[in-house]
Amino acid sequence: HVQLVESGGGLVQPGGSLRLSCAASGSFFSINAMGWYRQAPGKERELVAYITSSGRTNYADDVKGRFTISRDNAKNTVYLQMNSLKPEDTAVYYCNTYPQAFLSWGQGTQVTVSS
C-alpha cells in the first residue's frame, strides 16, 4: 500500500518562505514523474509544479520564478521550495504522481500566507 505524507506547511507572512516535503513509500517513486498540487478553499485542486524521473521540471505560471521543485530518489521524497509567498498561495498542498494522480491522496499540508 503506497502512502504519501506531506509536511512542512505553516503560517508565514507575505514574502516569506517555506519548504514542503512529500515522503512516498514504494518502489514506484524513482520511475514516476511527481507533482505538487494545491487546493484553496472553494476552488478545484490544481497542479503547481511537476518533476520527471530525469529531473525535468515545469511550473504553473503564477509560481514560476518563486517555487522550486526537486526530488531525492534515494529518499523517495519530493520537495517544494516556496519563496516570495503571496496570500493567494494559501491552500492545502499535496503531492501525487503526474500527469495522472493515480495514488490515494495524502492528508496534505496547510500553507497559510497572511500578515
Side-chain angles (χ1 to χ4, degrees), residues 5-88:
V5 180
E6 300 93 347
S7 62
L11 173 63
V12 64
Q13 292 186 341
S17 298
L18 285 172
R19 188 192 194 208
L20 308 184
S21 299
C22 170
S25 61
S27 58
F28 75 96
F29 183 84
S30 63
I31 64 173
N32 276 275
M34 295 295 295
W36 277 100
Y37 304 77
R38 68 185 179 188
Q39 187 168 20
K43 295 188 176 181
E44 295 290 319
R45 187 175 284 154
E46 62 178 1
L47 177 71
V48 175
Y50 71 84
I51 183 166
T52 68
S53 57
S54 61
R56 181 172 59 87
T57 60
N58 205 345
Y59 300 89
D61 286 344
D62 57 351
V63 306
K64 204 169 292 185
R66 300 189 296 123
F67 291 9
T68 303
I69 189 171
S70 61
R71 65 191 296 162
D72 185 335
N73 289 338
K75 296 181 179 179
N76 284 2
T77 301
V78 61
Y79 304 97
L80 187 68
Q81 177 67 44
M82 306 188 296
N83 298 327
S84 302
L85 282 161
K86 304 176 180 180
E88 49 265 44

